[in-house]
Amino acid sequence: MRTLTVCAALEAEELRRLAEILQTTRFDAGHTVFGEGDPAETLYNVTSGTVKVYKLLPDGRRQITGFLLPGDFFGLSVNDSYAYTAETVTPVSLCRFPRRRMEALLDEFPKMQRRLFSMASNELAAAQDQMLLLGRKTAKEKICSFLLLLSQRASRRGHKTNPVHVPMSRADIADYLGLTTETVSRTFTQLKTSRVISLLEGNKVQIQDMDDLLELAEGA
């Protein structure tokens, strides 16, 4: 897990200094780590579990902007308050870093700063991928693309790419893809009926035909 986190590429002394300021914490599913508008005083690194981040729209609707997995860093803010809400999807373990002390370490250790910049770049790439999903794709294309995205993220973490672990609820998936919960459930059923996927216990989705899933994701 260290290779995926902010600790990657740090020397022993840098790791020691980082360990001096971090705290580990665990939360059950459904816990709000911080809310939009709260003072941005802490940075976080996911070490196990899944976290969702979202914004509330003026009309009360929720737009999930991302799902964070082990290795993901969050809580970065250019202002003094968080721009989004972070809530646990599953039980999670997190590393917590006081923002001011972390900023001081970044000034002292350029490699750590570069690592955070790389993580921020990955977040931007993920946001661009989501914009594509929310654009011109149909509901089926969105669901297929979402399953492929989870499979690819599992691969980057050295985990099995199939079956795909899908810990988030249908409502969460809907709020991420800009669909209704009913449409998400119906699309999963259609993919299952056509034998592109099968639904397993433990919130897992078995991809029965990867080529078909890729073609459906691209609108073929």
Side-chain angles (χ1 to χ4, degrees):
M1 185 54 58
R2 177 186 161 188
T3 60
L4 297 172
T5 68
V6 69
C7 302
L10 298 185
E11 304 295 339
E13 175 60 17
E14 295 167 331
L15 282 172
R16 186 188 68 78
R17 294 287 301 281
L18 189 63
E20 289 178 350
I21 69 168
L22 76 81
Q23 293 179 322
T24 58
T25 188
R26 292 176 175 83
F27 295 120
D28 292 332
H31 178 84
T32 299
V33 181
F34 57 76
E36 183 176 351
D38 287 350
E41 299 172 345
T42 308
L43 307 177
Y44 299 87
N45 212 156
V46 183
T47 54
S48 70
T50 304
V51 175
K52 61 188 174 189
V53 293
Y54 63 86
K55 292 182 70 69
L56 291 177
L57 304 179
D59 60 5
R61 288 179 299 163
R62 181 183 66 166
Q63 176 62 60
I64 292 179
T65 57
F67 294 103
L68 308 176
L69 304 177
D72 288 333
F73 198 86
F74 67 104
L76 293 170
S77 177
V78 295
N79 299 313
D80 292 330
S81 59
Y82 296 114
Y84 53 85
T85 296
E87 181 182 322
T88 59
V89 174
T90 66
V92 301
S93 295
L94 303 173
C95 289
R96 297 161 44 104
F97 306 91
R99 178 180 176 181
R100 300 307 176 194
R101 297 182 67 183
M102 187 66 167
E103 289 173 346
L105 275 185
L106 293 178
D107 290 337
E108 189 173 347
F109 298 122
K111 280 193 296 186
M112 195 186 304
Q113 193 173 61
R114 287 195 295 270
R115 178 63 175 167
L116 272 182
F117 179 78
S118 175
M119 289 179 164
S121 298
N122 290 338
E123 287 183 9
L124 178 59
Q128 292 171 334
D129 288 340
Q130 189 199 22
M131 288 176 64
L132 176 61
L133 282 178
L134 294 177
R136 298 181 179 276
K137 291 198 172 191
T138 66
K140 183 175 290 186
E141 291 166 359
K142 288 179 180 181
I143 296 294
C144 291
S145 297
F146 179 66
L147 292 174
L148 289 171
L149 174 65
L150 292 179
S151 178
Q152 292 161 1
R153 293 183 72 179
S155 176
R156 289 196 294 271
R157 285 162 172 76
H159 300 156
K160 289 183 178 180
T161 58
N162 198 20
V164 180
H165 184 46
V166 187
M168 55 289 295
S169 67
R170 296 292 189 261
D172 283 347
I173 296 172
D175 286 348
Y176 179 69
L177 297 177
L179 302 171
T180 65
T181 304
E182 292 76 14
T183 297
V184 171
S185 296
R186 184 170 60 250
T187 304
F188 269 101
T189 299
Q190 291 172 350
L191 292 172
K192 176 184 176 182
T193 301
S194 58
R195 298 183 179 180
V196 177
I197 65 171
S198 58
L199 304 179
L200 309 180
E201 293 182 356
N203 298 318
K204 293 182 179 180
V205 175
Q206 179 74 40
I207 300 173
Q208 303 285 38
D209 193 318
M210 185 65 76
D211 289 338
D212 275 359
L213 193 70
L214 283 165
E215 289 181 359
L216 288 170
E218 297 301 322

